[in-house]
Amino acid sequence: MISIKDNLYLTLFDSCTACYTTVDLLRAILLEPTEAEVAALAAQFLADEARTFSIDQQQVQARFAAFPRAYEAVRAFQHACLGREDPRLLWDLWLPLALEARTGCTAQGALMVGLLGAQGTGKSTLGQALCLILAGLGLKAVTVSLDDFYQTRSERATLRQTEPGFSWRGPPGTHDLALADSVLNALAAGGTGVWVPGFDKGAYGGVGERFNWVDLQPGMRLWGQVQNQTLTLVHLEHDGVPLPLPDSGVGVPVADLPVALTEGMSFTLTVAGSEAHWDLGTIHTVNRRTLPVGWRWVSGPVDVVFFEGWFVGCSPVAEEVLAGAPWPIVTEADQAWALRVNRELAHYLPLWNYLDRLWVLHPTDFRLSRLWRAQAEQRLREQGHGGMSETEVDAFVEYFWKSLHPELFISPLLERASLVMQLGADRQVLRPFVVNALLAPRPAPQCLSDGFVD
């Protein structure tokens, strides 16, 4: 447990009117220097942090006060995702963002924060870290991904038959917008009892599927039965209290499960730690990771929702802009595809209306996402998981650049977003924060069909 002396606080706050540099402040918190050492640092503090986050003394006091709890809240998570503890990352990036979210919380519903970032920028990791920190500070936060709302496998197959350009899931046009609107609307209102869908990206050899399945948590017990060689959910309880079941998605095929189930068989399922326990008359224990990805139950009330995705918050551009689009939109077919996706993007604007903040993770060069994807696929190949080849990575990344080119759709947001975090080639934040005006007040909730332009 970190020890922070009261006289250290007083020395810091008496020595400086505003804020402190990252390295020096971590020394102050974790190493507890002498008062003489602290006094020598004071002159360095103001310029470094005030430039990036307009910090005043009250905000610094809040960060000092929150740091020990935040540090304990994310230590295990940092070990899991980084392989080490990184208090500097917590101080520089995660904790200021969590406190910024905390300041926006009200009693009128959840604060809705959009996290926009290309593949590999770390938006999912950031969202998870912020939820843990906010929990340590006494607030309930959840992450929701645009990927959670992909259409089912059969819906996307039908789409590809009529429009072969939708060869990959991901671009505008491949999501269930009515489902997304319903979930975001419920969460924005405070999220008291909401099912959030999960998309199983590994199902069917990577094609992916949204299953009618439950992401079980400790204390939950699920009853089900095998019907037509798929799992049918019958009943769900949490600590003995019945919960409603999700009513959307495709049944899980029994052939993909780690236990032998036959037609008509009933089962109950619980989880504990890393284990899942199937009760088929006798108990069969398997690794919890072998379960399908399912819907998450959010009991609420929710204080903060992080809605992340690679084009969250993006708006259509004027069609004439696409006529002079940059590489790799070079052929007439490329321009026709970009035009098609641009028109599809208009249907997502009602979802962005839920956002109170928009935070952007912005690489210094959009082509870095290709490098990061190639590195990830190389790691998969080295681990024997059959990652994409270099040629396949090129085709994959360029497909998304041709769909919504970052220079056309993301760059314009840098002047309108609430926060912008610029990333270097090593994915480190170069300029932690650029604060802009808040987004316009959120409109009153409405059905997605209202104002839907086709």
Side-chain angles (χ1 to χ4, degrees):
M1 185 68 181
I2 302 170
S3 173
I4 305 176
K5 296 179 181 178
D6 291 339
N7 66 349
L8 179 59
Y9 281 111
L10 296 173
T11 302
L12 287 169
F13 296 138
D14 288 343
S15 301
C16 174
T17 59
C19 51
Y20 319 95
T21 61
T22 298
V23 174
D24 297 334
L25 183 52
L26 288 178
R27 289 185 67 233
I29 294 177
L30 300 177
L31 302 182
E32 301 184 3
T34 66
E35 292 186 5
E37 289 175 320
V38 172
L41 302 174
Q44 305 174 26
F45 292 151
L46 177 60
D48 194 52
E49 296 245 354
R51 183 187 71 246
T52 56
F53 212 157
S54 302
I55 281 184
D56 58 23
Q57 182 171 336
Q58 183 178 5
Q59 290 169 312
V60 173
Q61 288 176 308
R63 207 192 298 191
F64 262 95
F67 187 85
R69 285 178 290 166
Y71 187 71
E72 290 302 316
V74 296
R75 291 177 73 176
F77 178 74
Q78 286 194 331
H79 275 290
C81 67
L82 305 176
R84 67 186 189 284
E85 292 181 21
D86 192 341
R88 177 171 180 170
L89 175 62
L90 172 62
W91 179 264
D92 276 349
L93 186 64
W94 291 359
L95 181 55
L97 286 174
L99 294 177
E100 176 72 8
R102 186 174 69 172
T103 62
C105 292
T106 68
Q108 282 70 50
L111 177 75
M112 306 291 284
V113 180
L115 290 179
L116 168 62
Q119 297 176 20
T121 53
K123 55 189 180 295
S124 298
T125 300
L126 176 61
Q128 294 175 59
L130 294 179
C131 287
L132 291 171
I133 294 170
L134 289 169
L137 301 180
L139 297 174
K140 186 177 182 67
V142 297
T143 59
V144 180
S145 173
L146 190 60
D147 294 355
D148 293 335
F149 302 106
Y150 282 134
Q151 296 170 347
T152 64
R153 184 171 63 110
S154 63
E155 290 169 339
R156 286 178 287 119
T158 300
L159 178 63
R160 285 195 302 273
Q161 290 176 357
T162 57
E163 298 195 61
F166 289 99
S167 55
W168 296 89
R169 64 173 186 265
T174 59
H175 302 86
D176 187 330
L177 297 185
L179 176 61
D181 180 75
S182 175
V183 171
L184 293 177
N185 189 30
L187 290 173
T192 303
V194 180
W195 279 111
V196 176
F199 188 83
D200 194 329
K201 296 180 179 179
Y204 298 103
V207 173
E209 183 62 282
R210 187 174 75 245
F211 289 119
N212 185 24
W213 185 249
V214 173
D215 180 14
L216 287 176
Q217 300 301 314
M220 288 185 173
R221 180 179 293 273
L222 176 67
W223 285 259
Q225 188 176 41
V226 179
Q227 296 180 354
N228 298 320
Q229 295 304 305
T230 63
L231 299 186
T232 298
L233 308 186
V234 176
H235 185 67
L236 176 67
E237 292 182 359
H238 190 192
D239 293 333
V241 178
L243 293 179
L245 289 167
D247 58 1
S248 176
V250 177
V252 177
V254 297
D256 295 340
L257 296 172
V259 293
L261 296 169
T262 57
E263 186 67 21
M265 180 179 287
S266 297
F267 66 89
T268 61
L269 181 63
T270 58
V271 297
S274 61
E275 297 179 340
H277 304 289
W278 294 84
D279 187 346
L280 311 176
T282 57
I283 302 297
H284 299 262
T285 299
V286 300
N287 192 303
R288 190 171 168 182
R289 293 183 178 181
T290 62
L291 299 178
V293 175
W295 294 64
R296 292 177 289 141
W297 177 249
V298 177
S299 58
V302 176
D303 299 297
V304 183
V305 176
F306 296 105
F307 182 33
E308 59 96 350
W310 73 278
F311 64 90
V312 165
C314 292
S315 299
V317 300
E319 293 188 355
E320 56 267 23
V321 172
L322 296 174
W327 178 89
I329 304 174
V330 293
T331 68
E332 290 185 1
D334 293 338
Q335 292 180 355
W337 170 247
L339 183 62
R340 173 70 180 89
V341 176
N342 185 59
R343 291 172 177 170
E344 197 67 41
L345 181 60
H347 300 331
Y348 288 70
L349 297 183
L351 301 184
W352 311 158
N353 285 339
Y354 287 106
L355 300 180
D356 300 303
R357 307 281 193 277
L358 180 62
W359 298 351
V360 181
L361 291 157
H362 182 60
T364 53
D365 188 321
F366 74 89
R367 290 167 293 187
L368 286 172
S369 62
R370 191 269 173 210
L371 170 65
W372 296 335
R373 185 72 193 201
Q375 292 172 342
E377 296 298 324
Q378 181 178 352
R379 287 193 294 270
L380 288 175
R381 292 195 300 271
E382 291 172 350
Q383 295 167 4
H385 296 314
M388 289 189 287
S389 66
E390 292 288 321
T391 301
E392 290 170 329
V393 168
D394 287 340
F396 178 81
V397 173
E398 289 180 17
Y399 173 79
F400 289 95
W401 291 342
K402 291 178 180 179
S403 299
L404 295 175
H405 198 288
E407 291 185 356
L408 300 180
F409 292 90
I410 296 180
S411 293
L413 291 174
L414 302 183
E415 297 181 357
R416 304 199 303 270
S418 307
L419 295 172
V420 177
M421 292 158 272
Q422 191 176 52
L423 305 179
D426 58 358
R427 284 183 262 203
Q428 297 298 308
V429 177
L430 303 178
R431 296 173 58 192
F433 307 98
V434 178
V435 179
N436 294 298
L438 301 181
L439 300 183
R442 186 198 305 167
Q446 61 177 357
C447 295
L448 184 65
S449 56
D450 295 345
F452 192 96
V453 180
D454 199 359

